Amino acid sequence: QGQLMESGGASVQAGGSLRLSCSASGATINSNYITWFRQAPGKEREGVAAILSAAVGGSTYYADSVKGRFTISRDNTKNMVYLQMNNLQPVDTAMYYCAADKTKNWYLPLSPRDYKFWGQGTQVTVSS
């Protein structure tokens, strides 16, 4: 049974940085994709960054809105996936979730559809 748990959310000022962590259960860390999503109040959940399993190349994918500011990485020895967020802006304020094991539509890693496992989320608030 896949389990994911996010941590690291906080309140920061614009221009600041945070590192979010996603702890994955033993089998889940080897999922085809592990992806960070975010959802702001009143908005749809959007994909932020995805990372492929190391077994299939470990490629990363980013939403245009975070390219150059956010970096996704993984440490399989610790069963962890990280999201380093730099130069945070108020528009980045949202609940951040990690998800794993995309069951279909693999060519759309940043679509929230078809992910089997989800964490409970961690709140990021950026003030101006």
Side-chain angles (χ1 to χ4, degrees), residues 11 20 37 39 49-50 52 59 61 71 93 112 116 124-125:
S11 295
L20 304 184
F37 292 87
Q39 188 167 19
L52 266 174
S59 298
Y61 303 86
T71 303
T93 295
K116 190 174 181 180
V124 172
T125 302

Side-chain angles (χ1 to χ4, degrees), residues 23-80:
S23 175
S25 62
T28 307
I29 192 64
N30 295 316
S31 296
N32 51 6
Y33 287 109
I34 297 182
T35 301
W36 284 98
F37 292 87
R38 66 185 181 187
Q39 188 167 19
K43 295 190 176 181
E44 293 185 354
R45 190 167 295 189
E46 63 169 339
V48 174
I51 188 165
L52 266 174
S53 164
V56 290
S59 298
T60 57
Y61 303 86
Y62 296 94
D64 288 343
S65 58
V66 305
K67 280 181 182 176
R69 300 189 299 126
F70 291 11
T71 303
I72 189 170
S73 62
R74 66 195 300 154
D75 185 342
N76 281 17
T77 66
K78 297 180 180 179
N79 288 359
M80 297 291 287

